[in-house]
Amino acid sequence: MGEVRKLQKKLRQIENLEIKISLSPEERIKISRKAELRSRLAELQLQLSGPQQTRGTVGDGKKEKMKRQVEEAPGALPSQTPPASKMPKGEERPRAQTTPSPAARPAAETGRGREKPPPAEVSGKAEFASLKASWEKSRFRLRLLEGHNDIVTCVAAVDNLVVSGSRDTTVKVWHVPTATEQKNLGGHTGGVTCLSAPPPEYCKRLARSLDLSDKERFILSGSADCYVKIWALNIGQCVKSIYTFNAVTALCFVPEGDGYIVTGSDGGKVQAWSWHTFDNCQSINAHREAVTSIQSQGPLAFSGSAEGGVSVWENRCSDRDPLRLLHHWSGQVTGCGGGPGGRLTLSPRGDRVFLAYGQAWLKILHWRTGTTSRLTNHSSIAGVTDCVHQPGGLLIGSCYDLANGESSLNLFSLPQCRYLASLTWPDAPRILCFAAWATGSGDHRWVTGGRGLIVWEQLPSSGKQRGDVTVKSDSRLDSCTLESEEETEDDEETDDYEDDDDVDVNNGEADGRCEGAEAAGLGAWLRCVLQ
């Protein structure tokens, strides 16, 4: 298991090198070893899995197919009873139905000694089964939006427009129905790291103060050049620039009172800015490492950092110091992090915050009490979760397999967090960011960014059009449930180890840092490439 973890770390480091803007000859040599390391990792996983291989494990195709057929056949358990021709004389074949098996017993015990489940429980199970079946039959049309010449780091949806930010320093506006680039907003001198769209009522206030149309919509962009820029989408111009003195790594708009922009920096600082005057209202040294995610929920704002800490802020609608810290939970409490340079993304819902931090599972933090639980998001320990999102009653986690480079989206129902289905397609790129909205008919429209910018449009359930997405069900995720931290004491994987010659891709650098920055963890691109 130790070598597996080393290989996983090396593959993570190589993935981070691949998304750098420029590569040195030494880095190109390291990247050239990715296929070799993946092959070795797959071999080790095969050895560890032994005879109990399941889907997704490399092995002999015909044998695996036969094995899956046996595993998936209901009730097809290996028989321990010899054939009738080999039964010793005088012995009778045991009766299989004499005593129900533990799995079958609850179904049989409906009348005696067991109460019938309440109607609400039956209704809930039927509703979930129907929802799961509908997603397993769902279809999506994919459209690639081509225009950026570097990694897409952030996306947002505004009406029928998609807005994307990239390390190429541009913000682009796309018209979704025609999948065409509408605006190219150039003005940042560093990579764009984050976007946020203010609600329409706050856009109207700003539009009136600028003598623009009431229908004007705005988008906020943050960049490594230390600027937050406010763009008017219809006219395609920057109407305001805010210099923050620090590289901006996260931001969100808090729609309370006159409105506030909350930003996070690469040094761990959280700042609040007035939407009315654009003055700095507050600066707080909130985290030890870079702030990698900020999200709002009503008057609350949630910030997550590279070291795995999460802070919860209340907006007091004040001209000075509007943010009041309600709770702060360190990486030791959240179970996230794993060293400086990591990347934590979060998505709040009520009293829970869903956390993605580059492992094969999602963490769920109950932010009022500090208790945590875990939700499996990948059937292999080589899985990586880069982002998490909640469109409507769904929880969606991105999934990337370090061992084979496959990417997908996993869907869970809310609030129970029960697995529904996985969506993927051939040569799917790694997904680093996600945005969603609904069409007029109630169908889903999503946009994913990372190595590619892709719009997902849900197709009607009836019709002859064929979808581009493959919908599959991972039986190992299907059987997973929420686990408390007490049940998963050994879950946390750490990348802290000494390199050895077998898997060295850092030319003997024991700390595994990329040039000039710390790169332990999946989010090193926030610190070592946006320069």
Side-chain angles (χ1 to χ4, degrees):
M1 184 62 72
E3 187 176 357
V4 169
R5 291 185 178 181
K6 292 179 182 181
L7 287 167
Q8 288 174 0
K9 179 178 180 180
K10 294 304 175 186
L11 286 169
R12 288 188 177 104
Q13 292 171 344
I14 287 175
E15 292 287 347
N16 289 328
L17 286 177
E18 283 189 317
I19 60 177
K20 288 185 67 176
I21 294 176
S22 60
L23 295 173
S24 67
E26 293 79 9
E27 290 170 337
R28 294 183 186 277
I29 292 174
K30 296 173 186 177
I31 290 174
S32 69
R33 294 197 60 195
K34 182 167 71 170
E36 174 191 343
L37 295 178
R38 278 183 173 172
S39 176
R40 176 59 178 158
L41 180 57
E43 180 183 344
L44 287 176
Q45 287 180 313
L46 180 61
Q47 293 174 2
L48 290 172
S49 63
Q52 303 298 325
Q53 299 178 45
T54 57
R55 276 178 280 186
T57 305
V58 176
D60 182 83
K62 293 183 179 179
K63 292 181 180 179
E64 290 305 308
K65 183 177 180 180
M66 293 174 62
K67 188 173 295 183
R68 288 197 297 268
Q69 289 174 345
V70 173
E71 290 174 350
E72 294 170 359
L77 299 176
S79 174
Q80 302 298 324
T81 305
S85 60
K86 296 184 179 181
M87 289 286 291
K89 291 184 179 181
E91 293 189 16
E92 295 183 359
R93 181 183 295 274
R95 295 182 180 179
Q97 302 299 327
T98 301
T99 304
S101 66
R105 192 172 296 137
E109 296 177 355
T110 55
R112 299 175 56 187
R114 182 180 177 87
E115 296 182 359
K116 293 183 178 180
E121 181 180 340
V122 175
S123 175
K125 290 181 178 179
E127 184 178 347
F128 173 77
S130 175
L131 179 63
K132 183 176 178 65
S134 67
W135 275 109
E136 289 176 347
K137 297 176 182 178
S138 63
R139 297 175 300 157
F140 281 84
R141 173 71 67 230
L142 301 183
R143 284 181 288 180
L144 178 65
L145 304 181
E146 297 181 285
H148 286 295
N149 55 32
D150 211 322
I151 298 297
V152 176
T153 58
C154 46
V155 290
V158 182
D159 299 330
N160 274 332
L161 302 175
V162 163
V163 185
S164 58
S166 169
R167 276 206 329 243
D168 63 12
T169 75
T170 66
V171 175
K172 290 184 181 292
V173 184
W174 310 83
H175 186 242
V176 173
T178 59
T180 57
E181 181 181 326
Q182 193 176 72
K183 298 282 193 314
N184 180 29
L185 308 178
H188 284 295
T189 58
V192 179
T193 58
C194 44
L195 295 170
S196 183
E201 58 269 28
Y202 288 90
C203 291
K204 288 182 179 180
R205 296 181 193 176
L206 180 59
R208 289 168 184 166
S209 68
L210 298 172
D211 293 326
L212 297 176
S213 167
D214 283 351
K215 296 182 179 179
E216 183 64 75
R217 298 299 302 272
F218 298 92
I219 194 77
L220 313 176
S221 63
S223 169
D225 63 8
C226 305
Y227 276 98
V228 171
K229 290 186 179 292
I230 303 172
W231 306 88
L233 296 182
N234 291 336
I235 62 175
Q237 293 180 6
C238 176
V239 296
K240 184 68 179 178
S241 290
I242 303 173
Y243 187 70
T244 68
F245 296 94
N246 300 277
V248 181
T249 51
L251 66 80
C252 76
F253 187 88
V254 179
E256 291 292 316
D258 290 334
Y260 297 86
I261 303 169
V262 180
T263 62
S265 78
D266 63 345
K269 184 179 292 185
V270 172
Q271 295 178 286
W273 309 81
S274 169
W275 182 246
H276 178 62
T277 63
F278 301 107
D279 293 333
N280 179 234
C281 302
Q282 190 174 12
S283 294
I284 311 165
N285 292 319
H287 298 278
R288 297 196 306 271
E289 296 291 336
V291 181
T292 57
S293 183
I294 299 180
Q295 297 290 332
S296 64
Q297 177 182 266
L300 302 179
F302 299 78
S303 60
S305 65
E307 82 272 7
V310 173
S311 293
V312 185
W313 310 88
E314 180 185 30
N315 190 307
R316 298 182 295 182
C317 299
S318 170
D319 292 337
R320 300 301 305 173
D321 299 335
L323 297 179
R324 181 172 73 93
L325 181 64
L326 294 180
H327 296 279
H328 174 79
W329 305 108
S330 68
Q332 291 181 334
V333 174
T334 65
C336 299
R343 177 173 176 258
L344 182 147
T345 60
L346 56 82
S347 179
R349 179 186 176 89
D351 291 344
R352 299 188 294 179
V353 185
F354 295 90
L355 309 175
Y357 65 107
Q359 295 292 352
W361 49 80
L362 293 163
K363 279 293 180 69
I364 303 173
L365 170 67
H366 296 261
W367 59 267
R368 294 185 186 276
T369 61
T371 57
T372 59
S373 53
R374 191 191 78 169
L375 179 64
T376 301
N377 190 51
H378 200 288
S379 57
S380 166
I381 57 174
V384 168
T385 305
D386 286 307
C387 60
V388 59
H389 198 74
Q390 298 178 70
L394 291 175
L395 173 68
I396 300 180
S398 69
C399 184
Y400 180 74
D401 196 319
L402 290 169
N404 56 31
E406 294 180 354
S407 185
S408 63
L409 291 176
N410 291 331
L411 277 57
F412 302 85
S413 66
L414 289 173
Q416 297 85 2
C417 299
R418 297 180 64 184
Y419 173 71
L420 294 169
S422 298
L423 309 180
T424 188
W425 70 100
D427 302 319
R430 184 172 177 179
I431 296 171
L432 300 177
C433 49
F434 186 101
W437 71 109
T439 65
S441 58
D443 292 327
H444 290 272
R445 267 184 180 167
W446 303 334
V447 57
T448 55
R451 298 184 186 276
L453 181 62
I454 298 172
V455 171
W456 302 52
E457 187 164 9
Q458 189 175 23
L459 298 175
S461 56
S462 59
K464 297 182 180 180
Q465 256 188 326
R466 184 177 180 181
D468 300 325
V469 170
T470 300
V471 183
K472 61 181 182 179
S473 181
D474 190 327
S475 59
R476 295 173 67 176
L477 289 182
D478 220 355
S479 60
C480 290
T481 56
L482 286 176
E483 298 173 335
S484 67
E485 286 300 275
E486 289 75 12
E487 297 170 330
T488 57
E489 292 180 357
D490 299 326
D491 288 340
E492 306 309 322
E493 289 200 27
T494 176
D495 289 334
D496 298 333
Y497 66 91
E498 295 296 326
D499 291 343
D500 56 30
D501 294 336
D502 292 335
V503 294
D504 181 22
V505 296
N506 275 306
N507 294 334
E509 295 177 10
D511 59 2
R513 289 191 291 262
C514 65
E515 296 177 348
E518 297 167 316
L522 288 174
W525 55 275
L526 277 172
R527 300 182 65 81
C528 72
V529 303
L530 297 180
Q531 303 294 336

